[in-house]
């Protein structure tokens, strides 16, 4: 993972590279401006600080996914709850405090390719998958509230 920094005048660009972060490819990135979350096809989410050093790491339990390679991720509540989509089509909630849980196995064909949480209603998230369908979910429901 590399970080690009533009100087104050806009003409200086600095590229900083960190050490290798994942044992496999990086498939998803998310930031809150303070930390960078990276999700890899190795089934691991890493929380990186501004120096690209690993501050925390979460391994997706294989008991929660048919294929735990991460394809999308987002976080809410200052990274206390991290939501990931997998190549197996599942959406899993990783908790920094408490238990991990399977939210849904909700795409009918292929993987859940994209995932994001609502910016102000943290109980809502959206997924898009290989099946060509975009779904809106509530965290505590096991079926989508809307789909297109």
């Amino acid at each position: 993972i590399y970080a690009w920094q533009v100087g104050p005048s806009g003409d200086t660009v600095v590229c900083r590279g960190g050490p290798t972060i994942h044992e496999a490819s990086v498939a998803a990135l998310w930031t809150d401006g303070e930390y960078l979350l990276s999700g890899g096809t190795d089934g691991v989410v890493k929380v990186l600080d501004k120096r690209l050093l690993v501050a925390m790491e979460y391994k997706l339990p294989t008991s929660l996914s048919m294929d735990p390679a991460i394809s999308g991720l987002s976080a809410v509540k200052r990274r206390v709850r991290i939501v990931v989509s997998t190549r197996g089509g599942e959406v899993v909630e990783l908790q920094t405090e408490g238990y991990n849980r399977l939210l849904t196995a909700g795409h009918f064909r292929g993987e859940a390719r994209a995932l994001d949480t609502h910016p102000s209603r943290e109980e809502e998230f959206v997924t898009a998958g290989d099946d060509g369908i975009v779904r809106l979910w509530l965290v505590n429901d096991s079926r989508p509230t809307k789909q297109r």
Side-chain angles (χ1 to χ4, degrees), residues 101-104 123 125 136-145:
R101 68 180 172 147
L102 176 68
L103 295 179
T104 185
E123 72 281 358
F125 66 96
L136 176 66
W137 305 85
L138 292 175
V139 168
N140 292 320
D141 287 350
S142 59
R143 60 178 194 257
T145 59

Side-chain angles (χ1 to χ4, degrees), residues 47 56-58 76-82 93-101:
V47 180
M56 287 184 248
E57 157 175 334
Y58 307 95
V76 293
K77 286 189 175 179
R78 297 194 46 76
R79 300 168 313 279
V80 171
R81 191 172 80 214
I82 300 167
E93 180 181 46
L94 301 173
Q95 299 253 350
T96 59
E97 302 166 359
Y99 297 99
N100 301 320
R101 68 180 172 147

Side-chain angles (χ1 to χ4, degrees), residues 47-147:
V47 180
L48 310 172
D49 64 17
K50 289 187 177 185
R51 297 170 296 157
L52 299 179
L53 299 175
V54 177
M56 287 184 248
E57 157 175 334
Y58 307 95
K59 180 153 181 65
L60 187 66
T62 54
S63 62
L64 296 179
S65 177
M66 292 174 56
D67 183 348
I70 294 169
S71 58
L73 66 88
S74 189
V76 293
K77 286 189 175 179
R78 297 194 46 76
R79 300 168 313 279
V80 171
R81 191 172 80 214
I82 300 167
V83 183
V84 300
S85 58
T86 70
R87 195 180 306 170
E90 301 91 0
V91 177
V92 177
E93 180 181 46
L94 301 173
Q95 299 253 350
T96 59
E97 302 166 359
Y99 297 99
N100 301 320
R101 68 180 172 147
L102 176 68
L103 295 179
T104 185
H107 283 272
F108 298 111
R109 179 176 44 90
E111 60 186 281
R113 293 264 178 197
L115 175 137
D116 203 359
T117 51
H118 192 281
S120 61
R121 295 188 301 254
E122 59 191 46
E123 72 281 358
E124 291 183 0
F125 66 96
V126 65
T127 61
D130 284 341
D131 55 8
I133 299 173
V134 175
R135 291 183 169 91
L136 176 66
W137 305 85
L138 292 175
V139 168
N140 292 320
D141 287 350
S142 59
R143 60 178 194 257
T145 59
K146 293 182 184 175
Q147 64 183 30

